[in-house]
Amino acid sequence: MRSRPRRPPGRPRPTLLARAEVPSGLPRADALALDIARCIPWSHHDLPDAPVLAFRGECGDRATVTLLAALAMFDAVCRMTLVARRLEGA
């Protein structure tokens, strides 16, 4: 099993969602989407098939492709924003 990266000093404790804990009472599709999203920042190359197939079964092919593309773009924008802030402060 892989160890999770340590939180850098001075960073706030992750929220419920950031800790990969799905809040109770969510619709099934939302809970499945969060299960997929939790893999994107740290283990996108190890994204298991099961949550993707479960989301696909619940929402269909188009929604699955849309979700995966949106998560990838969101991750890329967040990373570029972090890099830009570092470059601006350099």
Side-chain angles (χ1 to χ4, degrees):
M1 183 172 182
R2 260 189 194 182
S3 64
R4 293 189 67 88
R6 288 182 169 238
R7 182 169 35 106
R11 291 196 98 178
R13 182 172 167 78
T15 63
L16 183 74
L17 291 176
R19 292 192 312 264
E21 297 175 25
V22 177
S24 61
L26 285 179
R28 179 170 160 70
D30 292 349
L32 291 168
L34 286 174
D35 196 33
I36 294 169
R38 72 179 170 77
C39 296
I40 299 303
W42 305 109
S43 57
H44 56 277
H45 293 291
D46 299 324
L47 179 62
D49 291 338
V52 176
L53 294 174
F55 184 84
R56 185 175 121 194
E58 185 78 15
C59 300
D61 289 339
R62 290 181 78 174
T64 304
V65 170
T66 301
L67 174 66
L68 293 173
L71 289 172
M73 292 303 296
F74 181 75
D75 185 53
V77 168
C78 289
R79 290 172 190 267
M80 290 187 319
T81 300
L82 289 172
V83 169
R85 284 184 188 150
R86 288 185 183 152
L87 290 175
E88 288 170 358

